[in-house]
Amino acid sequence: MRTLAFQMPDRGGGPTGPRIRVGRPSRRVRTLLMTLGVLAVLGMAFTMFAGFWTDWLWYRSVNYSSVFTTTLWTKIGLFFVFGLLMALSVGLNIWLAHRLRPPLSAMSMEQQSLDRYRMGIAPYKKWLLLAITALVGLIAGASASGQWRTWLMWVNGVSFGQKDPQFNLDVSFYAFDLPWYRFLLGFGFAAAILSLIAAALTHYLYGGLRITSPGARATAAATGHLSVLLGIFVALKAVAYWLDRYGLAVKSSDFKATDNWTGLRYVDANAYLPAKTILFCIAVICALLFFATLWRRTWQLPVIGFGLMVLSAILIGGLYPAIVQKFQVQPNEQAKEAPYVEKNLQATREAYGIDDAQVTEYSGQSSTDDKAQLRDDVDKAASIRIMDPNIVSPTFQQLQQIRNYYGFPTNLDVDRYTKDGKAQDTVIGLRELNLSGIPKNNWINDHFRYTHGYGAVAAEGTSADSQGRPVFTESDLPSKGDLGKYQQRIYYGEKTSTYSIVGGPQKEIDYSDDTGEKTYSYEGNSGVNLSNPVNRAAYAVAFSEPQILYSGAIGEGSRILYNRTPKERVEAVAPWLTIDGDAYPAVVDGKIQWIVDAYTTTNGYPYASRTTLGDTTADSLTATNDSRAVVAQQNQVNYIRNSVKATVDAYSGEVKLFEWDTQDPVLKTWMKAFPDTVKPKSDISPALMDHLRYPQDLFKVQRELLSRYHVDDATTFLSGSEVWQVPDDPTNKSGNAVPPYYLSMKMPDQESQAFSLTTTFTPNGRDNLSAFMAVDAEAGTSDYGKIRILKLPTNTTVNGPKQVQSQFNSEQDIAETISLLSRGDSNVEYGNLLAVPLDGGLLYVEPVYVRGGGLKYPLLRKVLVTYGGSTAFENTLEEALDKIFGAEGTSPEPTEPPEDDGDPSKPTPPPSTEDPTVQEALNDAQKAFEDGQQALKDGDWEAYGRAQEALEDALRRAEDAQAGESGDGGDASPSPSPSPDSS
């Protein structure tokens, strides 16, 4: 027996045999290893500190330190609370299993194998327990800290004031409460499963559980312990079944009427809902049976109960709903599903802000034969923009870049500016810093010398000069024009992606003119001060740039600027917002301000269908320009509001958040979580209000939903007969949706033009037009955000964008001219195809640009117009409209009379051929015209431009000579360039 006792030591003991001494390293080696270890730990510690410290300094520099501290403390709190709970749960169950181990167990081969492990870990039991609990605690804490948004929304949740139609609970329960309850449930499951596994392994290691040994498979203590853990797991499953009942209201499923359907259907309400309730009751009973093993010490009843629960889940939770769907719903689907479709229709329209969309029948055909009246009505219907901001960026670049180290974004922006008391659509872009254009790239140049862009450049959206170039209203360097005096230096912009160090001993290049380079030193308070050596060391580590630590270019007053794009800054100070893909600049109160639209979203709005933001907001522009895409590419949401308008000062980097949607409960919730970060709507100045507009990404989300949810009848919705689609962009071959366009226009029920965002719809799978949609985009007006849809009849065919483009390309005269324009190295680029409602019909206008010859930028050469089946392809918009509406017989000379002719209706008299001066001028004009035609054929646009200037000068001389007054003709409007096919 003594021998046996020696072979089977107590489970807490360990071997006590002689130890073998291993040769120890020398003192020098030990010292070196210890030093290296300490340095490695210090290095890792300082790296972690550098990341934390630089983040804190940045948030403090933008005056949003409360966002940093609130987020940080929330993460720390969740990390420690849930990490500690998980560690205690697992550690307690390991300790308890060890405490309940049997003192001795029957000798067997299984136990002999386990003895080796027991003796091996015996000296390290405490350390092993601490290591396991610490590991699971760290993992659980890190996972929980990622739920800081869920926690803040739950603890600060504000009521929506709307209840779901099934359970009569406020929407806030699904948006704010249910996600937190699901997290707690998931954490509980994880803790129960890990504790069960850890306890079972400990019981097995110490003999409480046996697999191959004869006799009982588990001791009474192990049976009781594991049964309680299984009971907790099953109890949690009961809670899950109960929460699943409410989860049906926000459950995604594919429904033939729509993808990403959310909410209960007939089978959910009549099969899944009662099934979940029954399964909840079964799970509660099963959990009680597991707890009862503390007294009964048998697994029989709990195992039977658990088997019954699994069988019930298969039959009641799976088979029964399938039978209901097959034999009750499918034979009469429309009648069964209609009540639930009605709920989905209402909830989806409310969640996306499209419930007030005004749908009006529209004939699609003109109701009058008076073409002269229609011609007059065009100017009232819209300020047709022929400068496409997505085409003319290279033209801005070529004509206004001035220096290679400046650049413009790929896509310019459309805004409104007042000139002579009248608002006009304006194409605007900023001359930002372009590091790739710096003469010599090195660390000093990239980060100290070239630090900012300079000035805004703007052009009229509705006109071009005689050469097809933009008519600039703000230009040159420094910029001057209609925008007045403002701070022109641009330290923060869409193209500014690297850091700069400013304000120190190293002077910056401000701009260059004929007298040479001008230098400047930043005078703002933006950025983080680098005078402190700790700050410099932290940034040297954070940016992996050791020169920051010791460079002589950094000294007193040096500040480091980073996170410099508008979207980066707004997203950093408001991480709970989703940022629109297109920030745009505006000159406001003497400053350049970037205006950023931001959204609050949730995917917990009951019955509202979900959409993926990245897919919904993709179009032909985002396909070629990633900066235009929504930041949250994979975000699935079923509620969205443009709740915040943000501004970023291009000079100081100051970020301001303004409350825009004062009724949004999601925004109110975040404002409770982060107080004093969002300014009230009343703080928006009138000057800023003039430049706020309806955001493109929200409009694209809404138009995608309205392609199905414009109907309010469940039967029509289910039939799918009224489903629309957003057409592909016909002006390019990207295969992506046509982007929405900003345009000042008048819808049929409006008294005057309003700045609007417009789009078209076609029937699903067809190319003819089914609807035209516009939203009033002018902030500060009573109709702002009002969606108007003109629905065309289904029994007539009105050409859609693709058909209009095909019609343009198929007409012989137009095709020949396009072919002529495309000769040599020239390329034809089609601008935005604008649609404008006009007297029951639709007027389509498309500018056509040519880029080629010696020119590196597109120039407006032609304008395509179609209305009521008639098509015109002329040099100017006015000429094209005149031809469409029967005014093509008028003189193609100046579109406006000379200023000295007081009667606008009186045509310019033809010059007399008897006057030799007039005859000479006409001969020069004829020669210039012929030279221009030849240059056009050769694709030589520089020669063509010179010929047009000579033609204009000759005609003006002829007019002056005829009038007999050499100075009067100078202000006459220049004749439009003759059509290349007019000869």
Side-chain angles (χ1 to χ4, degrees), residues 161-412:
Q162 294 174 296
K163 296 185 177 181
D164 78 284
Q166 181 66 43
F167 302 102
N168 203 34
L169 294 173
D170 192 89
V171 173
S172 61
F173 171 80
Y174 301 94
F176 306 141
D177 299 343
L178 190 59
W180 179 248
Y181 297 153
R182 287 195 179 280
F183 163 71
L184 292 179
L185 184 63
F187 178 83
F189 272 124
I193 292 171
L194 289 175
S195 297
L196 182 62
I197 293 172
L201 289 175
T202 306
H203 279 300
Y204 177 70
L205 182 64
Y206 286 97
L209 288 179
R210 304 178 182 88
I211 297 177
T212 61
S213 300
R217 299 296 183 187
T219 63
T223 300
H225 184 196
L226 297 180
S227 294
V228 169
L229 292 176
L230 286 169
I232 292 173
F233 176 83
V234 177
L236 290 172
K237 187 62 179 174
V239 176
Y241 282 133
W242 189 256
L243 287 180
D244 285 346
R245 297 169 68 255
Y246 303 110
L248 292 172
V250 290
K251 174 180 67 73
S252 287
S253 62
D254 290 335
F255 188 33
K256 75 176 188 178
T258 176
D259 296 331
N260 294 318
W261 170 281
T262 303
L264 284 81
R265 292 155 51 193
Y266 180 90
V267 69
D268 297 315
N270 295 278
Y272 281 110
L273 187 58
K276 297 292 183 183
T277 305
I278 294 171
L279 289 172
F280 164 75
C281 296
I282 294 174
V284 170
I285 295 172
C286 185
L288 293 175
L289 291 175
F290 273 109
F291 292 141
T293 57
L294 286 173
W295 297 276
R296 293 180 55 84
R297 303 294 183 180
T298 175
W299 291 87
Q300 186 175 6
L301 285 179
V303 170
I304 293 174
F306 188 78
L308 177 62
M309 186 179 74
V310 173
L311 183 62
S312 300
I314 296 172
L315 296 178
I316 302 175
L319 185 59
Y320 174 61
I323 293 173
V324 171
Q325 178 69 23
K326 180 71 175 177
F327 295 102
Q328 291 190 34
V329 177
Q330 289 185 4
N332 192 17
E333 186 173 32
Q334 287 200 355
K336 296 291 186 182
E337 299 288 14
Y340 303 97
V341 172
E342 294 281 0
K343 297 174 184 177
N344 178 267
L345 283 171
Q346 180 180 351
T348 301
R349 291 164 68 91
E350 290 173 351
Y352 290 94
I354 56 177
D355 49 325
D356 293 329
Q358 174 184 304
V359 181
T360 307
E361 299 295 332
Y362 193 70
S363 66
Q365 297 179 349
S366 177
S367 58
T368 181
D369 295 328
D370 187 352
K371 290 191 173 182
Q373 180 63 43
L374 288 175
R375 178 63 182 90
D376 292 337
D377 289 343
V378 171
D379 294 333
K380 300 175 184 177
S383 299
I384 299 174
R385 180 171 44 75
I386 56 176
M387 280 291 113
D388 186 348
N390 308 308
I391 295 290
V392 299
S393 178
T395 308
F396 273 51
Q397 185 84 359
Q398 185 70 22
L399 301 179
Q400 289 297 319
Q401 179 188 23
I402 311 298
R403 293 291 183 268
N404 288 336
Y405 47 82
Y406 294 131
F408 292 91
T410 305
N411 303 101
L412 303 177

Side-chain angles (χ1 to χ4, degrees), residues 66 70 152-153 155-156 667-675 677:
S66 62
T70 299
L152 288 175
M153 292 184 78
V155 78
N156 295 288
L667 177 61
K668 292 179 179 178
T669 296
W670 287 118
M671 289 174 67
K672 281 182 63 180
F674 296 97
T677 57

Side-chain angles (χ1 to χ4, degrees), residues 113-126:
S113 298
L114 292 174
D115 271 341
R116 292 198 301 270
Y117 296 105
R118 286 192 289 264
M119 290 186 292
I121 66 173
Y124 314 105
K125 285 188 297 185
K126 291 182 180 179

